[in-house]
Amino acid sequence: MTSRWVLNTARSTYAVSLALDDTVLVLDYFGPATDLVPAWEPQSMPPIMSTFADYAPVEFAALGTRNVHGSELIVEYPDAVRGSRFRYVDHRFDEGAEGTHLAVRFADERGLEVEQHIRARSSSDVVERWVVFRDARETGEPIRLARAFTGAVSINAPAGARIDYLAGGYLREMFPRSVDLEVGTLRIGSRQGLTSHLFAPTMSVRVLGHDGEPDPAAGVLGIALAWSGSWAMQAEAHPNGLVRVSAGLDDEGTTLVLTPGREIESPRILALHTSGGPDELARAWHRYQRTEVLRSTSGYHRPVVYNSWEATELDVRADHQLELADVAAELGAEVFVVDDGWFAGRIDGNSGLGDWTADPGAFLDGLAAFGQRVIARGLRFGLWIEPEGVSPDSDLLREHPNWVYEENGLPQAAVRSQYVLDLGNPAAYSWIERTLRRLLTDHPITYLKWDMTRPVTSPGSHGGGPSFEWSLAHTHAYYRLLEMIRREFPHVTVEGCAGGGGRVRQRGPRPGRRGLGERRHRAPRSPARARRVPPRLPSGDHVVLGHHGAGHARSGAVLPGVQVRRRDGGRARPQRRPAPVDARRTRHRTVDDRVVPRAQAGVAQR
């Protein structure tokens, strides 16, 4: 029986083998492409109070097999047994022109199976890994997975490692941070139901030399988790000189429940190793994006966008928006996006979300006719929407109060004056799907700005599934909606804007189709940040002058002195804003058009 497998990417080799009496997979080698792959062997007896499993480069470890250092899987059985021991069952190893796929199945004595998958493609340097958890029993009480990470990637680092990661907050996402980790654990993640503004699900590892600086000869290890929901990632530096980076579903707010016959696929870990430095790591991530993630490398799904938010905020009227569209066309933009405020009942930031029909007072001839007028100016027509959001003052919430997340029967407190729809509820999901179809069918929309401006803070589900799997259900429903748009409206570009850069939209490629990523709302603005963002999706920044400061990345106008080419090849003069449009104008159009102070206007802040 073969017990060792070698997978090659475009420029690297990844080798694993069965070890410790066929109970685990260990990483033999991950580095520059080679035909001479060394095998992992224990160098000596493990330290007292430890086992071989605790300091081996184990790909996926369970509590019960590994007991001193961290594990990726914690199983809780109905009879209060906690932990499990797995043994090899069988494997599949498929080699083709495009790459190699290894699947190794392990099982314990109680019917729980863990199938570990590894895929390497010749078109990129990235190794993809995921796990399928399967309850192979015919009958029995549910099995709970209190932790269900995807796996771990190990690297030898006797003097420790420099862990590079990205942290920040709203309007300041993805600032580079570094920690020299000699012994101990660094953990980042999100419990918010989306990636969050606080951390990006990625780390890079540089082995430290004896002088305390990264050793160039060791290269760089990059890890990313391709997932849009709650997540966790940690780097663990062992005293024996091994650094393991593990990642997967958040284990504080998520518990998976397996019943006989059920299986759950984990999010995917993306890993790559480069022999160069951080710049080469960035180039490798970008190659992966271009070859495996994007459905097209043409400019259609990465257009120049003019967004209306900063100019008018919630005071959306057809005449104002068409004036902005004229400016957008003159500047050479390709898409004009009407942002928040276009729908009925959006009097202020406390109302209207969920009632996705055009405001008849703002669009006297209807939104479809307005869209055609935008198109007549040589622009594509785009629209902002927040499908998961619902306002307390909305017809949707009054009609379906049980569609929002709640915990223990108590409605959660509103954040930003809104709630979140439970996408795990089949009725709520179907309603969102129908709404998106209606908007994209009845209007000439070819660009959709999908926002998500608040976290899920009190998760609980009316949907019939386990409430502790809410993040998993929500994220998979989000993916199904994106896939529906991709399948039925392939001409529509979707921009992911979760309050800026709050949600990653890439979950890894699937056989026969590309990933979901098209545009992110904000991206790194410095080389240091760009090196650490995998994969760096096409992105858009709003740029505005005035009260935000010259050149502040936010919205609307162009920078001073920038020469913008018109479509006819001429040169357009940069403008701050069209004079007739005043961002301070009141939203209450039925009163009059007088300019009032922003505080009196009740204009929502974003």
Side-chain angles (χ1 to χ4, degrees):
M1 179 194 73
T2 301
S3 61
R4 192 160 184 256
W5 301 273
V6 177
L7 299 87
N8 291 302
T9 72
R11 298 172 181 80
S12 62
T13 296
Y14 195 94
V16 295
S17 61
L18 289 169
L20 308 181
D21 298 323
D22 294 348
T23 59
V24 295
L25 277 181
V26 297
L27 180 61
D28 291 320
Y29 176 82
F30 188 21
T34 180
D35 294 327
L36 303 175
V37 180
W40 176 83
E41 293 182 1
Q43 300 300 312
S44 60
M45 292 298 293
I48 190 171
M49 309 295 285
S50 295
T51 67
F52 281 119
D54 285 304
Y55 77 98
V58 178
E59 293 279 270
F60 182 91
L63 180 67
T65 302
R66 183 182 177 92
N67 296 296
V68 177
H69 298 298
S71 300
E72 285 68 62
L73 179 64
I74 299 177
V75 185
E76 296 177 346
Y77 288 99
D79 56 1
V81 172
R82 201 165 193 259
S84 187
R85 295 180 181 176
F86 292 88
R87 187 169 295 277
Y88 166 84
V89 177
D90 56 28
H91 73 274
R92 304 189 309 275
F93 188 65
D94 301 321
E95 292 183 278
E98 296 185 356
T100 309
H101 178 197
L102 170 67
V104 183
R105 185 162 60 109
F106 295 83
D108 69 3
E109 296 179 351
R110 309 187 66 163
L112 177 61
E113 295 182 353
V114 175
E115 190 171 76
Q116 301 180 45
H117 292 258
I118 307 171
R119 174 179 286 136
R121 301 173 187 268
S122 57
S123 54
S124 79
D125 299 314
V126 172
V127 174
E128 305 163 33
R129 291 183 46 199
W130 68 99
V131 173
V132 176
F133 304 101
R134 183 180 301 112
D135 187 344
R137 301 173 301 164
E138 294 184 359
T139 61
E141 295 296 316
I143 298 172
R144 294 167 60 93
L145 307 185
R147 176 184 296 159
F149 282 6
T150 301
V153 182
S154 305
I155 188 170
N156 288 318
R162 181 162 296 169
I163 311 298
D164 299 315
Y165 62 104
L166 296 167
Y170 175 62
L171 285 181
R172 49 186 178 87
E173 307 97 319
M174 302 185 210
F175 276 79
R177 298 286 187 269
S178 296
V179 170
D180 286 353
L181 198 64
E182 297 180 8
V183 176
T185 302
L186 170 67
R187 180 182 170 108
I188 59 176
S190 167
R191 299 188 298 274
Q192 300 179 14
L194 66 167
T195 316
S196 92
H197 299 84
L198 302 179
F199 299 100
T202 177
M203 289 183 178
S204 62
V205 181
R206 291 181 283 168
V207 174
L208 294 177
H210 294 294
D211 60 354
E213 293 299 320
D215 180 5
V220 184
L221 173 65
I223 306 291
L225 184 69
W227 184 243
S228 305
S230 299
W231 60 280
M233 180 177 289
Q234 63 183 36
E236 185 179 20
H238 300 174
N240 58 25
L242 191 72
V243 172
R244 295 179 81 243
V245 178
S246 57
L249 296 170
D250 163 55
D251 57 338
E252 294 188 30
T254 305
T255 298
L256 303 185
V257 179
L258 289 177
T259 53
R262 188 186 187 199
E263 66 178 34
I264 300 175
E265 181 178 315
S266 75
R268 300 195 174 198
I269 283 179
L270 310 177
L272 65 83
H273 184 280
T274 69
S275 56
D279 290 337
E280 176 55 34
L281 182 73
R283 287 189 286 271
W285 282 126
H286 298 168
R287 282 193 296 269
Y288 172 75
Q289 172 204 352
R290 290 191 297 270
T291 58
E292 308 298 339
V293 176
L294 298 179
R295 59 169 159 172
S296 170
T297 57
S298 71
Y300 181 83
H301 289 299
R302 297 189 300 283
V304 178
V305 177
Y306 193 107
N307 183 284
S308 72
W309 172 256
E310 203 71 27
T312 58
E313 295 188 343
L314 294 179
D315 187 16
V316 173
R317 288 177 271 181
D319 55 346
H320 281 187
Q321 298 298 310
L322 289 176
E323 291 176 29
L324 287 175
D326 288 334
V327 174
E330 180 72 8
L331 290 172
E334 297 167 297
V335 178
F336 178 74
V337 175
V338 177
D339 210 279
D340 193 356
W342 59 269
F343 45 96
R346 192 60 161 167
I347 298 172
D348 53 33
N350 302 314
S351 60
L353 278 183
D355 300 339
W356 304 113
T357 56
D359 185 344
F363 300 95
L364 300 179
D365 298 326
L367 187 62
F370 172 85
Q372 292 295 346
R373 293 190 180 100
V374 171
I375 293 171
R377 288 161 166 79
L379 298 163
R380 291 167 58 188
F381 175 46
L383 198 67
W384 176 95
I385 189 172
E386 188 169 355
E388 296 144 285
V390 57
S391 296
D393 182 9
S394 65
D395 292 340
L396 178 63
L397 190 63
R398 283 186 284 271
E399 293 173 10
H400 302 286
N402 63 338
W403 282 6
V404 299
Y405 283 109
E406 67 173 22
E407 190 172 24
N408 298 325
L410 300 175
Q412 60 174 304
V415 176
R416 298 189 75 255
S417 301
Q418 64 190 70
Y419 303 113
V420 180
L421 292 177
D422 175 9
L423 264 61
N425 184 322
Y429 173 86
S430 296
W431 178 86
I432 292 176
E433 189 176 52
R434 291 194 305 272
T435 298
L436 291 170
R437 281 198 180 103
R438 172 178 57 80
L439 286 171
L440 296 177
T441 300
D442 296 348
H443 306 90
I445 298 167
T446 60
Y447 190 97
L448 198 66
K449 180 181 175 182
W450 184 316
D451 214 339
M452 169 67 163
T453 59
R454 65 148 290 177
V456 181
T457 51
S458 300
S461 178
H462 286 284
S467 61
F468 22 79
E469 290 186 8
W470 66 269
S471 176
L472 187 75
H474 191 107
T475 305
H476 281 308
Y478 170 65
Y479 288 152
R480 290 197 302 275
L481 290 169
L482 292 177
E483 289 173 339
M484 180 275 292
I485 295 173
R486 173 71 59 84
R487 181 178 62 254
E488 299 181 20
F489 305 94
H491 59 287
V492 174
T493 303
V494 179
E495 174 188 341
C497 173
R503 177 157 59 184
V504 171
R505 284 182 45 224
Q506 161 63 11
R507 63 167 175 170
R510 294 292 194 272
R513 67 178 186 267
R514 296 291 182 93
L516 298 174
E518 285 172 351
R519 286 184 68 93
R520 282 181 66 179
H521 182 66
R522 280 199 286 272
R525 300 186 192 100
S526 73
R529 277 180 267 180
R531 295 181 189 118
R532 297 169 172 84
V533 180
R536 188 181 174 212
L537 299 179
S539 57
D541 275 335
H542 293 183
V543 181
V544 70
L545 308 177
H547 67 277
H548 287 294
H552 180 81
R554 184 80 169 125
S555 183
V558 297
L559 297 176
V562 175
Q563 298 295 336
V564 183
R565 291 287 179 181
R566 296 198 307 250
R567 292 178 181 275
D568 60 5
R571 180 169 292 178
R573 181 171 58 87
Q575 303 179 37
R576 292 174 68 130
R577 293 178 181 176
V581 180
D582 194 320
R584 297 166 297 178
R585 202 182 295 268
T586 176
R587 179 68 176 95
H588 302 283
R589 295 182 302 276
T590 56
V591 178
D592 53 37
D593 277 342
R594 58 192 175 87
V595 176
V596 299
R598 183 180 299 268
Q600 296 179 25
V603 176
Q605 298 299 306
R606 278 155 78 101

